[in-house]
Amino acid sequence: MSNDVVRKPLMSGNWKMHHNHFESIQYLQKLAYLLTKEDFAACDVSVHPPFTDIRSVQTLIDADELKVSLGAQHCHWDDKGAFTGEVSPAFLSKLNVQYVICGHSERRELFGETDADVAKKISAIQKYKMTPIVCVGETLAEREAGLTTQKVMGQVRSALDGRSSEQIESMVIAYEPIWAIGTGRTATSSDAQAVIGAIRAQVLEMSGVKAAQSVRLQYGGSVKAANIAELMAQPDIDGALVGGASLDSAEFARIVQFRLHRTP
Ligand code: PGA
């Protein structure tokens, strides 16, 4: 598809259940030291610490006027209520959270999140003017059974269904093959491109050219500094959702600086 819209890459660090609030402060100070004005001009950067760290990280971002965006890993779809242990999107937005991951495969597989839950969360996140990073992806068994397209496109359709073009334009969708998460096995850049290109085609079909050209599509699954440049060279890959390799600030900084790496 010809492309009139320049999509700014987005590198997101999903820390999962790592780094307490002291560690996250140290991490962010180091990351801010390693990244330059040019890096932030070339690439958006979000960090997604555990909930207990968010207030501390927000305070540091504000005080030092850091260009890093604050992200969360999850939220509930209601503003408030009797939901022991859950976190409201309204509370996240009060803390200047800008990106919220939803439907991560660990939430889907370990905590029973369904496509319907994910759809409600997307609406709630957007209601508070935050950006959802919607995760989709297939298991190894599904891949081997030739069901990748069916699974991923089903998740994408459910996430997009009933939304306006404007709502879809501002979303981020992360394709994360489950077999590649935390395993050291990355999809080849051409495999990742094939699925991510198909996601963009699905957006085109459901919402038209503007949404398809604007929506940012990330790849996730064992991304590291050594493979990011090759992934980012693919036409439809607009960034990465990085787990393990984002835990080290120097490695994550090198991922953000992918444009400086020589592509093999
Ligand atoms: P990984 O995790 O980079 O450790 O594979 C990615 C993710 O779960 O978002």
Side-chain angles (χ1 to χ4, degrees), residues 14 16 104 106 176 180-183 220-223 241-245:
N14 173 14
K16 309 191 181 186
H104 190 281
E106 286 150 18
E176 298 206 301
I181 295 178
T183 58
S222 298
V223 170
L241 182 54
V242 189

Side-chain angles (χ1 to χ4, degrees), residues 110-161:
L110 304 174
F111 301 98
E113 237 169 65
T114 64
D115 279 350
D117 296 338
V118 174
K120 285 190 278 185
K121 283 168 200 234
I122 295 169
S123 302
I125 293 163
Q126 291 198 317
K127 174 176 157 194
Y128 287 98
K129 311 272 179 268
M130 299 181 291
T131 299
I133 299 180
V134 184
C135 301
V136 297
E138 81 287 1
T139 62
L140 187 57
E142 287 162 342
R143 185 177 192 86
E144 284 171 349
L147 297 172
T148 300
T149 309
Q150 187 180 323
K151 168 80 177 292
V152 172
M153 295 313 144
Q155 291 175 323
V156 170
R157 274 195 297 274
S158 165
L160 302 187
D161 198 33

Side-chain angles (χ1 to χ4, degrees), residues 209-223:
V209 177
K210 182 117 190 288
Q213 288 186 341
S214 305
V215 67
R216 288 193 287 184
L217 304 179
Q218 292 179 318
Y219 169 78
S222 298
V223 170

Side-chain angles (χ1 to χ4, degrees), residues 198-213:
I199 294 175
R200 200 175 299 286
Q202 176 76 56
V203 175
L204 178 67
E205 193 189 309
M206 289 180 75
S207 307
V209 177
K210 182 117 190 288
Q213 288 186 341

